[in-house]
């Protein structure tokens, strides 16, 4: 029994450590992209991706970074950046359990993604809206 327990703990620790190493590699790569980007739009999208990587472990950091990306996007009128920044702000709030705030961002961003015909953004946002309604037990709207 003790061997099985040890094996389970060792396996769990190994998976967790591997996942954290993967996350660090991804964040390191995204930070390099952000710091070396020559175009504002590339920096904004990298910042959105960095925010996304923090959504589960540090949702407040996700929201802060995505808010910065939103401000930069608004300054240069970059619709795709606005859309993904707002999506990430919604995701951070969703993870925190702040469903009304997350839903508000998702509902604001959906028309942006529709306007620029970003199918990935539309799908992601509709999925996120459905998840919120599901967790609120509002199954007709979740569908």
């Amino acid at each position: 029994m003790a061997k099985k327990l040890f094996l389970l703990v060792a396996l769990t620790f190994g998976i967790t450590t591997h996942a954290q190493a993967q996350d660090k590699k991804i964040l390191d790569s995204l930070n390099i992209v952000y710091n070396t980007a020559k175009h504002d739009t590339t920096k904004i999208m990298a910042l959105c991706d960095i925010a996304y990587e923090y959504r589960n472990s540090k949702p407040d950091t996700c929201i802060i970074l995505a808010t910065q990306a939103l401000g930069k996007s608004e300054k240069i009128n970059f619709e795709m950046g606005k859309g993904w920044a707002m999506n990430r702000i919604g995701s951070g709030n969703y993870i925190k359990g702040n469903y009304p705030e997350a839903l508000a961002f998702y509902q604001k961003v959906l028309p942006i993604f529709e306007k620029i015909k970003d199918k990935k953004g539309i799908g992601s946002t509709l999925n996120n809206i459905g998840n919120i309604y599901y967790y609120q037990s509002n199954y007709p709207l979740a569908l």
Side-chain angles (χ1 to χ4, degrees), residues 87 91 94 103 106 123-133:
N87 183 285
S91 294
Y94 171 79
L103 189 58
Y106 292 143
S124 172
T125 302
L126 288 172
N127 184 63
N128 294 338
I129 290 170
N131 284 337
I132 289 173
Y133 285 132

Side-chain angles (χ1 to χ4, degrees), residues 59-132:
D60 289 324
T61 300
C62 171
I63 293 167
I64 290 166
L65 295 173
T67 301
Q68 290 173 2
L70 179 58
K72 292 174 188 276
S73 296
E74 289 173 336
K75 194 179 270 187
I76 64 169
N77 200 28
F78 179 43
E79 293 296 308
M80 183 179 285
K82 286 182 201 176
W84 284 106
M86 291 170 75
N87 183 285
R88 302 312 190 217
I89 294 169
S91 294
N93 279 290
Y94 171 79
I95 295 298
K96 289 177 64 170
N98 189 351
Y99 297 144
E101 187 75 12
L103 189 58
F105 272 95
Y106 292 143
Q107 289 172 334
K108 282 185 218 172
V109 76
L110 189 57
I112 293 172
F113 283 141
E114 289 171 340
K115 177 182 168 189
I116 63 174
K117 296 177 176 43
D118 185 332
K119 290 181 182 180
K120 183 178 176 184
I122 293 167
S124 172
T125 302
L126 288 172
N127 184 63
N128 294 338
I129 290 170
N131 284 337
I132 289 173

Side-chain angles (χ1 to χ4, degrees), residues 10-70:
L11 183 61
T12 303
F13 178 73
I15 291 170
T16 304
T17 303
H18 178 71
Q20 289 171 343
Q22 288 286 85
D23 292 345
K24 183 169 178 6
K25 286 181 183 179
I26 292 169
L27 281 170
D28 288 347
S29 296
L30 288 170
N31 277 309
I32 289 169
V33 170
Y34 179 80
N35 290 321
T36 61
K38 295 184 185 341
H39 301 285
D40 289 341
T41 56
T42 304
K43 279 181 144 337
I44 290 166
M45 295 308 292
L47 196 54
C48 288
D49 289 342
I50 293 167
Y52 181 77
E53 291 301 318
Y54 280 114
R55 77 195 180 286
N56 290 323
S57 61
K58 298 179 180 178
D60 289 324
T61 300
C62 171
I63 293 167
I64 290 166
L65 295 173
T67 301
Q68 290 173 2
L70 179 58

